[in-house]
Amino acid sequence: MARLGSWIESHPEGIYVRPADAWIDPSQPKPKALITHGHSDHARGGHGAVLATKETLAIMEVRCGPQNGQAAAYDECIRVRDVDVSFVPAGHVLGSAQIVLQHRGEKVVVSGDYKRRPDPTCPCFVPVPCDIFITEATFGLPVFRHPETRSEIDRLLHRLHSDPSRCVLVGAYALGKAQRIITELRARGYEQPIYFHGAIERLNQLYQEFGVELGELRHTGGASKQEMAGHVVIAPPSALNDRWSRRLPDPVTAMASGWMRIRQRARQRNVELPLIISDHADWDELTMTIRELEPTEVWITHGREEALKHWCMTHQIKACELNLVGYEDEDD
């Protein structure tokens, strides 16, 4: 009898679905790629054909150029050779999806990156019971337990209002995190204009084109220090200590990331206000998800694989590590 999931192959450059002759999030150009979401460590250019959500395809167009893409709606079943493929929300960023594969009575869910808490910019994670669950483990250690998002946003606002002569400069990943910080601020009643670095302008526009309300946004270019005092400024993490930041009014340097749980990371980046806001599942959400789905096997990808594998084994769940390459500890 063939082992469970024998038709799924793990290679360093990605997951190969043999009966579909397709790759999931491959790190090298392939004839057929199924893409979970638009972050650059999952969505690369150069593929012969791409199957993804319409939002992910639009993000890839912005970041990688024209795509030979086929858009998949959430929950739509698409036959790819001998495999039924569907995309369901992953709750990670705009357009992010888990890829559900069904072949010869077996169901495999490739989660991509995911989180379980609500996010105003994308649909919530949808649990899909399955035989094999392929999960990320970015924050797969018990030390990573993320606080409530609203409490971190309130800390940001408190710091902003405590000294109106300064601005709060928030380092946030350009795709997903930046737009989430903006919408979370709006959800806490912050209606003032929010300034942004030019590197996130096109992605802000894309989110708005897909119906995500961001409120009034202003480019930092051409704005005076006086105009930006008392306001929030959003920029990619790479810009926090760049010459560009000198144009800002004595900025309080903040960064929004799950990695801000580690004080050494905050110190290394000279972050004055660490905000523990992640677009990945924390330890409790990872283990909760596995319990909820009740898979026969768990395959663990990029991150802290060993700890999550150990947890699975102690709960009588068969688990293994997939040694994929090219997935980064992104600024989350």
Side-chain angles (χ1 to χ4, degrees):
M1 183 176 179
R3 68 170 176 83
L4 194 63
S6 59
W7 45 283
I8 305 283
E9 300 174 6
S10 173
H11 297 263
E13 68 268 32
I15 295 170
Y16 179 57
V17 186
R18 191 166 9 90
D21 192 22
W23 293 77
I24 296 177
D25 293 352
S27 60
Q28 314 257 338
K30 300 294 181 183
K32 180 77 171 181
L34 315 179
I35 304 298
T36 60
H37 67 283
H39 279 145
S40 58
D41 57 340
H42 291 257
R44 294 171 169 87
H47 303 304
V50 174
L51 179 61
T53 64
K54 62 182 179 180
E55 296 89 346
T56 294
L57 288 173
I59 291 166
M60 291 180 71
E61 293 270 350
V62 168
R63 302 188 121 193
C64 308
Q67 302 294 309
N68 179 21
Q70 178 183 353
Y74 285 133
D75 298 320
E76 175 187 7
C77 184
I78 297 172
R79 188 75 172 177
V80 182
R81 296 186 63 167
D82 293 331
V83 180
D84 288 327
V85 178
S86 55
F87 290 68
V88 297
H92 180 55
V93 296
L94 180 72
S96 62
Q98 306 168 79
I99 298 178
V100 182
L101 310 167
Q102 298 186 74
H103 176 67
R104 294 185 176 177
E106 289 182 6
K107 182 183 290 186
V108 176
V109 173
V110 183
S111 67
D113 291 338
Y114 67 97
K115 67 176 177 291
R116 298 302 306 266
R117 58 193 66 198
D119 180 337
T121 70
C122 63
C124 290
F125 177 97
V126 173
V128 179
C130 53
D131 300 297
I132 296 174
F133 183 53
I134 303 180
T135 181
E136 63 142 311
T138 301
F139 293 112
L141 289 172
V143 68
F144 291 112
R145 289 184 163 95
H146 306 322
E148 289 294 325
T149 304
R150 63 177 177 269
S151 67
E152 297 298 281
I153 295 296
D154 286 346
R155 289 178 57 234
L156 190 166
L157 290 172
H158 176 76
R159 191 58 177 273
L160 178 70
H161 298 320
S162 66
D163 189 350
S165 68
R166 306 176 71 184
C167 70
V168 175
L169 169 61
V170 182
Y173 199 73
L175 169 59
K177 182 63 63 64
Q179 296 77 28
R180 183 180 173 204
I181 294 299
I182 293 168
T183 56
E184 295 284 5
L185 281 164
R186 301 308 190 198
R188 301 302 288 165
Y190 184 73
E191 298 179 353
Q192 295 298 311
I194 294 174
Y195 287 85
F196 63 88
H197 186 284
I200 67 172
E201 180 173 18
R202 183 64 190 96
L203 290 167
N204 286 345
Q205 293 171 347
L206 189 64
Y207 267 66
Q208 291 171 315
E209 289 166 12
F210 279 103
V212 178
E213 295 293 334
L214 300 178
E216 184 180 353
L217 303 179
R218 295 180 183 176
H219 197 303
T220 56
S224 68
K225 287 187 177 183
Q226 184 177 1
E227 288 174 309
M228 291 185 282
H231 289 273
V232 175
V233 181
I234 310 285
S238 60
L240 291 184
N241 299 303
D242 189 68
R243 289 180 58 189
W244 167 87
S245 64
R246 297 177 189 174
R247 71 179 67 183
L248 305 178
D250 190 17
V252 175
T253 301
M255 183 165 172
S257 169
W259 297 112
M260 291 297 98
R261 171 66 73 185
I262 307 300
R263 292 180 182 177
Q264 183 62 24
R265 290 228 180 186
R267 285 196 293 266
Q268 287 172 348
R269 289 179 172 266
N270 298 315
V271 172
E272 187 176 347
L273 179 62
L275 301 170
I276 306 170
I277 301 175
S278 175
D279 283 329
H280 293 264
D282 68 5
W283 175 259
D284 290 333
E285 292 167 338
L286 289 167
T287 56
M288 174 190 72
T289 300
I290 294 169
R291 278 197 175 103
E292 184 177 7
L293 302 187
E294 298 184 328
T296 302
E297 296 183 14
V298 174
W299 297 359
I300 306 166
T301 64
H302 52 292
R304 279 67 202 156
E305 297 98 336
E306 290 185 6
L308 192 57
K309 178 182 176 182
H310 176 75
W311 181 91
C312 289
M313 301 301 281
T314 60
H315 289 79
Q316 291 74 54
I317 302 169
K318 187 176 179 180
C320 65
E321 303 170 35
L322 304 184
N323 296 312
L324 306 180
V325 299
Y327 296 98
E328 305 166 359
D329 283 349
E330 62 190 35
D331 285 311
D332 174 42

